[in-house]
Amino acid sequence: MKTICFYFQIHQPFRLKRYRFFDIGNDHYYYDDFQNEEVIRRIAEQCYLPANRTLLEMIKSSGGKFKVAFSISGVALEQMEIYTPEVIDSFKELVATGNVELLSETYAHSLASLGDPEEFKHQIKKQEDKIFDLFGVKPKVFRNTELIYSDDISTIVAEMGYKGMLTEGAKHVLGWKSPNYMYNSCVAPQLSLLLKNDRFSEDLSDRFSNYSWNEYPLTADKYISWIAETPESEQIINLFMNYEVLGSLHPASTGIFEFFKALPRFAAERGISFSTPSELFSLFKPVDSVSVAYPISWVDEERDCSSWLGNVLQKEAFQKLNEIGPRVHLCETRRVRQDWYYLQSSDHFYYMSTKHMGQGGFSPYDNPYEAFNNYMNVLSDFILRVNAEFPENIGDEELNSLTSTIRNQAIEIEDLRKELEKYKKKASSKKTAE
């Protein structure tokens, strides 16, 4: 029996204001509040709220058979809390149905997995805490920023206790193999993988409202029939996309909401079910392992990370950001830690890409060079603030010693906390017995 796994990415960065060279050392607030509020409110109105209502209706009308998964970055959740708390409430309503799974990712939707393993682990834990605080659930499945994946990343994710991860079904990785099976990591076999089906995902994300597409208009009946016609042995169809497909990238006038509402009925007629990633990881076993020596993502034809780290501007900015990391890890100042997360969002590096010049897109800048200059001005001020707390004359050896001390103290505190809980349980049991 075939099953469809829907996964949606939700992320909004804190966009930077125009920050001049002369602001360095004088202005420590970096964000364009007007633009950030305008964007999140507009997308909430076009996508998040009507899409959530649509999915809730689909779950109820299908008798609980429709299921879906989301990955919502921590910085997006922060903006929802500030500007559109009603969106948080609507997601809580969806999660309460039991048919919606929330996945873990990096809190800042960052590239930490490519440059700072310790920061990568820290952000995963921070994201877990954020999801639990807001929705009362602990994520069981991981998906990295923009589905970035490699063998090295899979090792870290497996060590953190995750049994499953989502990534791209890149052709140069799979070769002749189909993405419609479950696989596992070749270096961490305990970590199972769900791979995005490019064709069916991009029929919705890229081609749905394309009038020149030879299959336009796409109907739910036609779409489900294509899925039903895949080989019988290929039972898992992973449809991974940006949530803004519903209502923003494809406006309501294109019929995208009506299309989605019809999917459960036609799927049921064809004997096709819907599953969350956790359900698939418990029901299916990997058929083979995949080896990914160099990081892949779900962006562009290359399916690599060149959209973020493909030119000298991006590499320079990323290097400078990572160089300050060890000192930031020692900082306890709330504003410094907060800015550190916001400056790590992958969007800042995407804006510097020269691959997409003249193609429009999501950049608030006129060109990549403007994006680079603005970001580096902000980063320069941020580095000054960090160095004011932990000067550059502190050598790497002394810095490493401080970091180790702090890490050991954290471990000791956690061990003591567990021991205290154990004694509390013993005392409670004894009191009950008496």
Side-chain angles (χ1 to χ4, degrees), residues 22 53 78 149 193 213 257 291 294 325 332 362 373 416:
F22 300 103
R53 287 194 295 268
E78 281 192 35
Y149 176 88
L193 304 172
W213 183 31
F257 292 114
S291 176
Y294 301 99
E332 295 295 333
F362 305 99
N373 288 332
L416 289 170

Side-chain angles (χ1 to χ4, degrees), residues 65-82:
K65 293 180 180 178
F66 181 76
K67 299 174 183 180
V68 66
F70 290 99
S71 181
I72 315 174
S73 72
V75 293
L77 288 170
E78 281 192 35
Q79 291 185 73
M80 291 176 190
E81 288 179 291
I82 297 169

Side-chain angles (χ1 to χ4, degrees), residues 390-403:
F390 295 93
E392 287 181 287
N393 58 14
I394 297 178
D396 289 342
E397 191 173 325
E398 187 179 354
L399 196 63
N400 289 335
S401 176
L402 284 168
T403 304

